[in-house]
Amino acid sequence: MSLQDALAALVDPVRRAILRELDGIPDWTKACGTFDLPVTKATRSHHFAVLRAAGLIEQRDSGPRRLNRLRRPEFDEAFPGLLDLVLAER
């Protein structure tokens, strides 16, 4: 998990919206298709891939759904306070 990858992922408002939503729910309870995002399915997939590559989220398949987990503890250990700062910004 690099700071450069994290900052590149966090700069996009759609990705920040995904993280905000994941931050307020238990792990593994939100599927990719259930996010209300103003983008196409292909663009949505791209945003999730960027977040995954940056180490911000983890995903697992559960039947036909792909469930998500915000990797907050791992991210907070690597970059203390950064996620709080970015997610608090409304």
Side-chain angles (χ1 to χ4, degrees):
M1 179 180 313
S2 79
L3 180 58
Q4 183 174 352
D5 290 342
L7 292 175
L10 292 169
V11 73
D12 188 274
V14 172
R15 292 192 285 266
R16 287 193 310 270
I18 292 169
L19 295 175
R20 278 189 196 100
E21 195 160 343
L22 287 174
D23 194 39
I25 60 170
D27 292 347
W28 312 118
T29 58
K30 186 86 173 159
C32 293
T34 63
F35 287 83
D36 184 26
L37 301 172
V39 296
T40 65
K41 185 177 179 181
T43 303
R44 175 189 312 249
S45 294
H46 168 74
H47 285 303
F48 280 103
V50 170
L51 291 170
R52 199 173 49 247
L56 283 156
I57 65 169
E58 184 177 5
Q59 296 181 310
R60 73 175 184 199
D61 292 332
S62 177
R65 303 177 340 148
R66 179 160 285 176
L67 301 176
N68 298 279
R69 174 181 90 85
L70 177 60
R71 296 183 66 213
R72 182 179 262 289
E74 298 95 323
F75 195 83
D76 285 345
E77 184 177 322
F79 310 109
L82 180 58
L83 203 51
D84 286 331
L85 179 68
V86 171
L87 296 183
E89 190 181 296
R90 302 268 172 185

